[in-house]
Amino acid sequence: KQEVTQIPAALSVPEGENLVLNCSFTDSAIYNLQWFRQDPGKGLTSLLLIQSSQREQTSGRLNASLDKSSGRSTLYIAASQPGDSATYLCAVRDGTGTASKLTFGTGTRLQVTL
Amino acid sequence: KAGVTQTPRYLIKTRGQQVTLSCSPISGHRSVSWYQQTPGQGLQFLFEYFSETQRNKGNFPGRFSGRQFSNSRSEMNVSTLELGDSALYLCASSFGGANVLTFGAGSRLTVL
């Protein structure tokens, strides 16, 4: 059974800092991995999707890397801003592809202060 | 283009009642999946539908059911509500299930 862990559970940083959020998974036979953000009381917004054959994806100030063999992914946020404050979740789709389940991590709650 | 629409946004029910939640996916998306989010358990997968067929199911009791219509709209139903069913229910749509998911804002269910 796939288990996804995110560390740290919460993080507070001053504006402008670069930061790294971690996601680890127990079964390395994954199909893809997605990073989402969730604002309080809202749905999820997709940030980046990395296919199992890829090593990283970039979008603006965000960069996500994937190391399947070690069961880890990191989300790097450059030059953090107060608007980045949210909960960040990673989700792993297992290796059977389109008909497989998505397993979410418990999230990292990020606060960027002025 | 319109996003994923979930209705109702908020609802309050009492134990033993049943509830139906609706999800309208992005136009052209054929896959709809449902998730339950609670503070204690986080986000858990309920089920996924693709072209009116349930393609996958999470580990929830039979009280939780769903369906998808020919226009890809989906509903989920929870019968005999329990206090522990209080949660934010999220649906997401995508072209083929393994693609990028677009989530709705959720339906917040409170069971008293």
Side-chain angles (χ1 to χ4, degrees):
Chain A
K1 178 190 168 190
Q2 181 73 270
E3 291 182 5
V4 182
T5 305
Q6 291 187 246
I7 293 173
L11 182 63
S12 181
V13 300
E15 182 180 14
E17 265 200 19
N18 302 324
L19 56 101
V20 174
L21 307 181
N22 297 293
C23 170
S24 60
F25 45 95
T26 53
D27 185 347
S28 62
I30 67 170
Y31 189 79
N32 62 34
L33 182 147
Q34 296 186 56
W35 282 94
F36 297 89
R37 69 173 278 169
Q38 185 176 30
D39 295 285
K42 304 283 183 62
L44 279 66
T45 301
S46 179
L47 298 173
L48 292 163
L49 180 148
I50 309 177
Q51 301 293 350
S52 62
S53 58
Q54 297 175 315
R55 297 282 294 183
E56 64 179 308
Q57 281 284 347
T58 298
S59 176
R61 295 182 293 109
L62 305 179
N63 175 277
S65 67
L66 174 63
D67 184 343
K68 265 184 34 174
S69 60
S70 65
R72 290 190 301 180
S73 176
T74 60
L75 178 67
Y76 175 83
I77 303 177
S80 58
Q81 303 171 356
D84 294 331
S85 299
T87 296
Y88 290 80
L89 296 133
C90 68
V92 171
R93 187 174 295 278
D94 72 36
T96 55
T98 57
S100 57
K101 300 177 185 179
L102 205 59
T103 303
F104 280 86
T106 49
T108 294
R109 190 167 65 250
L110 172 67
Q111 183 175 17
V112 180
T113 58
L114 291 170
Chain B
K1 61 182 177 183
V4 178
T5 303
Q6 290 189 245
T7 57
R9 288 293 316 280
Y10 303 91
L11 66 165
I12 299 174
K13 294 284 187 179
T14 56
R15 280 182 299 174
Q17 287 187 310
Q18 67 98 25
V19 66
T20 299
L21 308 178
S22 178
C23 174
S24 294
I26 288 175
S27 177
H29 284 190
R30 296 168 64 188
S31 169
V32 174
S33 51
W34 289 89
Y35 303 84
Q36 181 196 65
Q37 187 175 31
T38 60
Q41 299 296 319
L43 261 162
Q44 296 187 87
F45 171 76
L46 281 157
F47 25 67
E48 180 193 2
Y49 288 87
F50 183 84
S51 293
E52 301 180 66
T53 301
Q54 186 180 86
R55 193 157 67 173
N56 220 326
K57 190 177 189 305
N59 298 321
F60 279 81
R63 301 185 296 108
F64 291 81
S65 63
R67 58 178 175 168
Q68 186 179 34
F69 302 95
S70 58
N71 61 358
S72 293
R73 190 178 70 86
S74 177
E75 289 182 346
M76 67 163 283
N77 183 276
V78 188
S79 62
T80 319
L81 284 166
E82 301 177 359
L83 295 178
D85 296 333
S86 294
L88 180 66
Y89 290 87
L90 293 162
C91 86
S93 74
S94 68
F95 281 111
N99 305 102
V100 172
L101 297 181
T102 302
F103 278 81
S107 293
R108 183 167 295 282
L109 170 65
T110 301
V111 182
L112 302 176

